[in-house]
Amino acid sequence: MGKGMLKKSFGQHILVSRGVITKIVELLDIRKGEEVVEIGGGTGNLTKALLESNLKRLYVIELDREMVDTLKGIRDSRLKILHGDARKFNLCELGSELKLVGNLPYNVGSLILENIIHHHRCVPYAILMFQKEVAQRLEGKGDVSWLSVFLRTFYEVSYEMSVPSRFFRPPPRVQSAVISIRRKGTTVVKNLEDYKTFLTTLFANRRKKLGNKLPPEVLKAVGVEEGRRVESLSLEEFLKLYEMLKLMA
Ligand code: SAH
């Protein structure tokens, strides 16, 4: 398949830097016998580099039928190409201890990440490429989003490296960055949908004070003043507020 046929709608920006690809594989730290899932295999640059490790199995989830056909040209008995949508793919169907990796399509990167978090019980570690601003927010810097809090509830997030546009074909208009996410030991959150609703409700109308969003007794019990706004809350405060709300409901 020619590079001229790359589709913007699928967010196809092919990583062409051998150095960055090598670094991503290194960060994934693949051990003998591990099962790896790549999201958005594209033309297979990263796929081929992953197969140079001693992984036991590599699943590639790719949405574009044409890319699926290209990827099927790679001959390796450990490789399994899956035509599917990573925004809703049931990852736990593939294994119970999966390492995930992907140069994600930027237009749907957040939705794919949300799906990964929903499957955190079978994904202990992942290396993911996002648009740089998104990566910074996910890490907890600057303008934090509900998804950043959602992610950091279940995973330790590290900003690994910035990746300039010139390392992609075609070069995207924005800069990129790689993050690693490592699952935390335990969490008080049991019902993810319920927790998501709690976070998105708090993040709606950001300017509003928390006193207008949560019962005064809940805020008081956690020691959060009513005049504060959502962006001032620490991860610990989000979790305490959530727990207290459940307790007092
Ligand atoms: N990993 C390749 C390609 C990255 S571009 C590389 O680094 O060179 C992003 C890839 O994700 C494209 O191949 C695109 O077709 C695929 N993609 C887009 N939306 C997807 C989705 N919802 N689920 C799975 N793959 C998707």
Side-chain angles (χ1 to χ4, degrees):
M1 174 177 176
K3 289 205 170 95
M5 290 169 78
L6 290 172
K7 301 185 189 77
K8 210 172 170 169
S9 60
F10 284 103
Q12 291 171 349
H13 294 280
I14 302 303
L15 187 55
V16 290
S17 157
R18 182 69 217 186
V20 175
I21 291 172
T22 302
K23 183 73 189 164
I24 289 175
V25 177
E26 271 172 28
L27 285 168
L28 201 59
D29 189 27
I30 300 168
R31 311 289 170 84
K32 193 169 187 288
E34 280 184 336
E35 296 189 297
V36 176
V37 179
E38 184 190 351
I39 293 173
T43 52
N45 289 353
L46 180 57
T47 315
K48 287 176 205 152
L50 290 165
L51 288 168
E52 284 165 23
S53 75
N54 51 10
L55 52 77
K56 184 172 93 186
R57 189 167 274 291
L58 175 59
Y59 296 100
V60 181
I61 304 171
E62 172 58 59
L63 185 60
D64 183 357
R65 182 82 249 175
E66 283 181 62
M67 288 297 192
V68 167
D69 290 340
T70 309
L71 290 164
K72 281 190 172 159
I74 305 172
R75 294 264 155 245
D76 193 304
S77 59
R78 298 167 299 165
L79 178 64
K80 203 164 163 44
I81 309 295
L82 305 162
H83 183 213
D85 187 340
R87 283 170 292 188
K88 48 188 185 217
F89 201 97
N90 180 1
L91 298 167
C92 296
E93 213 171 65
L94 302 176
S96 55
E97 286 288 302
L98 303 165
K99 274 191 175 171
L100 240 71
V101 62
N103 166 20
L104 301 184
Y106 297 144
N107 46 353
V108 294
S110 296
L111 293 172
I112 292 174
L113 179 64
E114 198 185 326
N115 189 42
I116 294 171
I117 300 166
H118 276 282
H119 293 99
H120 68 274
R121 68 184 163 85
C122 38
V123 183
Y125 187 66
I127 298 292
L128 303 165
M129 176 106 69
F130 289 93
Q131 182 180 325
K132 188 170 180 174
E133 285 74 49
V134 175
Q136 285 167 332
R137 254 183 275 141
L138 290 174
E139 190 203 8
K141 299 263 163 71
D143 222 355
V144 164
S145 62
W146 79 267
L147 186 59
S148 164
V149 180
F150 197 51
L151 173 64
R152 286 179 294 120
T153 297
F154 300 96
Y155 290 93
E156 218 59 72
V157 182
S158 303
Y159 188 95
E160 299 291 351
M161 60 174 165
S162 305
V163 184
S165 306
R166 65 172 185 279
F167 291 138
F168 299 88
R169 295 286 176 277
R173 273 186 296 125
V174 293
Q175 300 294 305
S176 306
V178 174
I179 63 166
S180 64
I181 63 170
R182 191 177 295 283
R183 194 175 56 203
K184 293 179 176 176
T186 51
T187 168
V188 293
V189 178
K190 301 282 171 263
N191 183 334
L192 269 74
E193 278 306 328
D194 184 63
Y195 183 56
K196 176 186 170 179
T197 305
F198 165 77
L199 292 179
T200 51
T201 308
L202 282 190
F203 274 94
N205 306 313
R206 278 173 185 250
R207 301 289 309 145
K208 266 199 192 166
K209 298 186 167 101
L210 290 169
N212 296 318
K213 296 178 174 182
L214 289 165
E217 62 273 21
V218 169
L219 289 166
K220 190 147 187 275
V222 177
V224 170
E225 282 144 40
E226 292 185 25
R228 285 177 58 187
R229 297 197 171 88
V230 67
E231 59 262 26
S232 79
L233 293 173
S234 67
L235 178 60
E236 287 65 35
E237 285 173 325
F238 277 108
L239 289 168
K240 279 189 196 159
L241 287 170
Y242 180 66
E243 258 190 306
M244 196 52 72
L245 192 64
K246 297 290 115 184
L247 212 67
M248 291 185 155

